[in-house]
Amino acid sequence: MHRQIAGSLTGPVTKWIVLVAVLLLTGVLGYLGSMLNDVKDNEQSSWVPASAESTRVADELSQEVSPNDIPTLVAFHRSSGLTDEDLAAMDEQAQQIAEIDGVTSAGVLTPNAAAALREQGQPAPDLMSEDGEVAFMYFTFNMGSEGWNKIAEPVKEIKEITAIDGVDVYVGGFGGQAYDFVNSFDGSHVRLLLITFGCVILILLFTYRSPILWILPIFCAAIANTMAGGVVYLLAKYAGLIVNDQSQYILSILVIGAGTDYALLLVARYREELRRHADRHEAMAFALHRAAPAILASAATVVVGLMCLTFADLNSTASLGPVLAVGVAVTYLVMVTLLPALLVICGRWVFWPVRPTFGSAEPTERGLWARIGKRISVRPRSTWLATAGVLLVACLGLFRLDASGLSTEDSYTEKFDSIVAQELLNDHGLADNSNTVQVVTADDALPAVQDAVAGVDGLGEQTEPTSLGNGRSYFEAPIAADISSETAFDIVESTRTAAHSVDGAEALVGGGAAFYLDTKTASLRDNKVVIPLVLLVVLIILILLLRAVLSPILLIGTVVLSFGAALGISALFFEYVFGFEGSDAGFPLFAFVFLVALGIDYNIFLMTRVREETQTRGTRPGSLVALASTGGVITSAGLVLAATFLALATLPFVFLVELGFTVALGVLLDTMIVRSVLVTAINLDLGGKIWWPSKLDRDPVIEAPDAVGNREKVSV
């Protein structure tokens, strides 16, 4: 039945129908995908779970303090000291800034204005340092729910307005951070795609040794990326799926990498069948019949593994799973419809200059991996024990991995204006008024809560309480620390401890630093929940696919070992080579999901071929044939995927640099060592036992190698 379906997709007439249908659908989805920016949600508050204390505070303050408020500041620095003319210029600039669309009616508070309020006996923050070198103005943006996406233009206007000769000016606060985040992605999507496609093209040229063949996989990967963007747009627009810049970038990388992997497997099998069949349509029918189930199993495993992310507490993580799962599903459909159609339309000449002619010998039978397989077969047990030992040693690097989180300054590989602004305020003893704790409490407990919180070190002067109605009030206090630093987290936790200690107050503590703390807490929880869930799901899929129990358990063990080694080596590079201060709390989960979900591809590519060959040759000779046939494909696929993820290192975010490096390293370990050497050695050592409790290859056999490394199975 599979072969009939495969043949119906690539027949002399249907191949053209498939081509036209896919191209028409691409046009529609491409148009929709072009509007993806309109539905992105980069708002920070959308990332944390609804149960988080900072989210509950935001909900209670929604009538008084809009969740769309973006506190922003502009820091001014003159090393010789700011002059009266500088301060006067700030007052004039404040009037212009107040007229910008999105600046709230509260206007702009400047150092002179704050001083005037204090002279009148009204509370006002100190906006100028004691040494007179640094001052800042403070205001709030509110441009509705899309404000985080629209922040770029008004901030650019502010940068032009606030220019003063001899004075360094930096936009900071939440507004400055949002601008730097969005602006750092500006134009980088196209650049990232160009880098990714460039790397993939070079690898395909080396793999295929054809100046033509690489065009088809690349074209299909581009089509898949376009179609995936359209489907994601529809889900974001009408199904509430959260999409942000980060998820879009990872989506493109994953689609291109996974699509090229699937193409490599299909093209390799098609080339085999072209040597066995005179008619290319028949050859493709057999190739698709043999390769499509492995590709489907691989794609389904990745999709299900990614969907496990929906069980995460962190909204940004939970929403990433469906976005990427859609991309992989679309990629699978493109690669088993459009690519086969294009291959049979083009004919054998597309493999030029080395065309696979009917009846010619299969080169993989005496290739590099066939020779490696022979060497492994001499001492398989020693081989897998030594390999596993080396990987275990690499896992020791995990003791150097610090995934407790990163401060704002340490989260970027470049020095953005918002970071410099924060450093100036910290170095000159000024509190960032955009970084506060927000305390909500019952009215009758308000004085007690204020007194309890007043004793927390690191908090500035409290604001006047504001009544929220329903017997609730709130007040704020600035935090004298970077918003995402451990110092700020300690202050938030101390504030929560103090506020929660007041009986009957039902006090809640939120704010910017509390948001980051709750994000970290949710990430640590997700690591403990999602990672075991992904392992369980992958194990079940492998059991169903291979119809065995022992081999899936062994494969999961190699996955965990490979992941640990990749993370351990990466941790050493992060600390001693790159000089990073640590890792984001969510980094281990993302690295695990990508390495396991993608690494399982190579397990499936190899083991489905082992199972296929076992039915006619036996497990040990079948393992050697499978390695010889798929080793080159798996290696090329690993290089492609490593190159695509390594492209993330071009972005100025420590999280993405670390993720790209770790996934690239892990994929290379997986393809060149774990799958091809470790797994093959285990198969050769255990033989038919790996299929327990299946009846496959239970008969004792004598296996004698022939001249090309194939073996005959003879029952005794």
Side-chain angles (χ1 to χ4, degrees):
M1 183 182 69
H2 290 160
R3 191 162 64 244
Q4 291 175 348
I5 295 174
S8 66
L9 289 173
T10 57
V13 176
T14 53
K15 63 186 179 184
W16 295 105
I17 297 175
V18 169
L19 174 62
V20 172
V22 172
L23 292 181
L24 288 175
L25 187 58
T26 301
V28 175
L29 292 176
Y31 170 74
L32 295 173
S34 66
M35 299 184 287
L36 189 57
N37 285 334
D38 298 337
V39 295
K40 285 182 187 175
D41 186 358
N42 289 310
E43 185 177 346
Q44 291 176 316
S45 60
S46 67
W47 289 36
V48 293
S51 60
E53 190 166 341
S54 59
T55 306
R56 292 156 61 196
V57 169
D59 290 341
E60 286 208 51
L61 297 181
S62 59
Q63 297 301 318
E64 185 69 28
V65 179
S66 171
N68 300 316
D69 280 353
I70 307 176
T72 307
L73 60 88
V74 182
F76 300 80
H77 173 245
R78 187 190 287 272
S79 57
S80 60
L82 293 166
T83 65
D84 292 338
E85 289 78 10
D86 295 336
L87 297 177
M90 293 179 206
D91 292 332
E92 295 177 6
Q93 294 166 355
Q95 296 176 16
Q96 299 178 56
I97 293 173
E99 297 175 0
I100 296 176
D101 289 341
V103 175
T104 60
S105 58
V108 183
L109 187 63
T110 65
N112 283 340
L117 289 173
R118 287 194 298 272
E119 289 178 0
Q120 298 170 12
Q122 300 182 39
D126 193 353
L127 304 184
M128 187 167 180
S129 63
E130 291 184 4
D131 59 15
E133 293 183 10
V134 176
F136 69 97
M137 61 174 66
Y138 176 81
F139 52 95
T140 301
F141 276 116
N142 191 315
M143 296 175 283
S145 59
E146 295 295 315
W148 295 91
N149 296 330
K150 299 176 180 177
I151 195 71
E153 289 305 316
V155 169
K156 288 179 182 177
E157 188 174 350
I158 289 170
K159 286 176 176 287
E160 294 175 359
I161 291 173
T162 54
I164 301 176
D165 288 340
V167 177
D168 299 320
V169 183
Y170 308 95
V171 179
F174 269 23
Q177 292 174 21
Y179 170 80
D180 288 336
F181 180 82
V182 173
N183 193 54
S184 64
F185 281 105
D186 187 27
S188 57
H189 190 203
V190 174
R191 184 174 68 251
L192 189 68
L193 287 177
L194 291 175
I195 293 172
T196 303
F197 275 121
C199 292
V200 172
I201 289 170
L202 288 175
I203 294 171
L204 289 180
L205 281 170
F206 176 78
T207 301
Y208 291 143
R209 293 177 174 82
S210 167
I212 304 169
L213 182 56
W214 65 269
I215 297 174
L216 299 187
I218 290 296
F219 177 74
C220 292
I223 290 292
N225 187 51
T226 301
M227 295 179 71
V231 176
V232 169
Y233 168 80
L234 291 174
L235 292 175
K237 180 73 173 179
Y238 301 107
L241 182 65
I242 298 176
V243 185
N244 53 41
D245 285 315
Q246 179 175 285
S247 59
Q248 183 190 15
Y249 279 58
I250 297 177
L251 171 66
S252 296
I253 290 293
L254 183 60
V255 166
I256 296 170
T260 309
D261 277 6
Y262 301 155
L264 283 165
L265 183 65
L266 178 62
V267 172
R269 198 58 190 258
Y270 177 51
R271 185 158 47 187
E272 278 187 50
E273 298 299 334
L274 284 173
R275 302 179 189 279
R276 299 170 183 164
H277 302 274
D279 182 80
R280 66 180 188 275
H281 299 90
E282 185 179 350
M284 178 55 76
F286 275 90
L288 200 54
H289 165 61
R290 293 295 187 185
I295 298 174
L296 174 60
S298 170
T301 304
V302 175
V303 167
V304 174
L306 290 171
M307 289 302 293
C308 290
L309 290 176
T310 59
F311 291 91
D313 258 2
L314 203 60
N315 290 341
S316 57
T317 302
S319 63
L320 179 64
V323 170
L324 301 184
V326 166
V328 173
V330 170
T331 302
Y332 165 76
L333 293 174
V334 170
M335 291 301 169
V336 296
T337 56
L338 179 60
L339 179 59
L342 290 174
L343 285 168
V344 292
I345 286 172
C346 292
R348 296 176 189 260
W349 69 266
V350 79
F351 289 90
W352 183 85
V354 183
R355 301 181 188 182
T357 57
F358 175 57
S360 60
E362 175 56 43
T364 59
E365 292 179 356
R366 289 179 172 81
L368 171 65
W369 288 105
R371 296 194 297 272
I372 291 176
K374 284 184 180 180
R375 293 201 172 190
I376 295 174
S377 65
V378 175
R379 293 186 178 84
R381 183 167 300 177
S382 300
T383 300
W384 74 257
L385 284 174
T387 305
V390 172
L391 293 173
L392 283 171
V393 171
C395 291
L396 296 176
L398 287 169
F399 291 105
R400 302 302 304 171
L401 181 66
D402 178 9
S404 60
L406 295 166
S407 66
T408 304
E409 177 183 359
D410 296 331
S411 297
Y412 302 96
T413 60
E414 298 178 9
K415 208 77 159 178
F416 291 122
D417 278 10
S418 59
I419 296 174
V420 178
Q422 181 67 52
E423 290 177 344
L424 282 173
L425 267 57
N426 290 342
D427 293 344
H428 291 265
L430 292 172
D432 177 1
N433 283 49
S434 68
N435 180 20
T436 65
V437 289
Q438 299 171 329
V439 184
V440 180
T441 181
D443 287 341
D444 54 2
L446 177 61
V449 172
Q450 286 182 296
D451 289 342
V453 170
V456 175
D457 291 335
L459 286 183
E461 184 178 352
Q462 298 175 8
T463 62
E464 288 295 320
T466 300
S467 176
L468 301 174
N470 298 319
R472 302 283 283 176
S473 297
Y474 96 97
F475 62 91
E476 297 184 56
I479 296 177
D482 177 82
I483 194 169
S484 60
S485 65
E486 288 297 321
T487 302
F489 294 165
D490 291 341
I491 294 172
V492 171
E493 290 179 331
S494 297
T495 304
R496 284 176 171 173
T497 300
H500 296 167
S501 67
V502 179
D503 292 335
E506 298 182 3
L508 299 172
V509 176
F515 158 79
Y516 281 109
L517 173 60
D518 291 340
T519 299
K520 173 185 173 181
T521 302
S523 295
L524 295 175
R525 175 265 178 197
D526 293 343
N527 291 342
K528 298 175 182 178
V529 172
V530 178
I531 288 178
L533 181 61
V534 171
L535 282 175
L536 178 61
V537 167
V538 170
L539 176 62
I540 292 173
I541 292 176
L542 286 175
I543 289 174
L544 295 175
L545 176 66
L546 300 177
R547 300 170 219 173
V549 174
L550 181 58
S551 56
I553 291 176
L554 292 173
L555 292 176
I556 288 294
T558 65
V559 164
V560 174
L561 183 59
S562 176
F563 169 70
L567 211 58
I569 296 172
S570 296
L572 299 178
F573 270 82
F574 297 161
E575 182 175 358
Y576 298 111
V577 178
F578 300 143
F580 296 150
E581 293 299 321
S583 301
D584 185 89
F587 164 72
L589 173 59
F590 278 83
F592 178 83
V593 169
F594 284 120
L595 280 177
V596 172
L598 298 174
I600 210 65
D601 280 4
Y602 311 121
N603 268 319
I604 291 172
F605 292 171
L606 177 65
M607 292 305 295
T608 52
R609 188 61 182 264
V610 171
R611 194 178 195 285
E612 177 186 335
E613 298 294 339
T614 295
Q615 297 180 50
T616 57
R617 302 172 186 268
T619 300
R620 291 187 173 92
S623 297
L624 292 174
V625 172
L627 177 61
S629 302
T630 66
V633 175
I634 290 176
T635 301
S636 298
L639 289 173
V640 166
L641 205 58
T644 54
F645 267 88
L646 202 57
L648 288 174
T650 62
L651 296 173
F653 300 96
V654 169
F655 170 75
L656 292 180
V657 173
E658 292 185 342
L659 181 64
F661 179 86
T662 301
V663 173
L665 174 63
V667 166
L668 292 177
L669 285 176
D670 224 34
T671 55
M672 296 185 177
I673 297 177
V674 177
R675 296 305 137 242
S676 302
V677 177
L678 180 61
V679 172
T680 298
I682 292 175
N683 290 345
L684 292 173
D685 184 22
L686 298 182
K689 296 176 184 177
I690 65 171
W691 305 114
W692 180 88
S694 167
K695 294 182 179 180
L696 184 65
D697 195 20
R698 278 192 172 181
D699 294 333
V701 297
I702 297 174
E703 296 164 350
D706 63 17
V708 294
N710 297 326
R711 300 186 178 219
E712 250 182 80
K713 177 177 177 181
V714 183
S715 296
V716 293

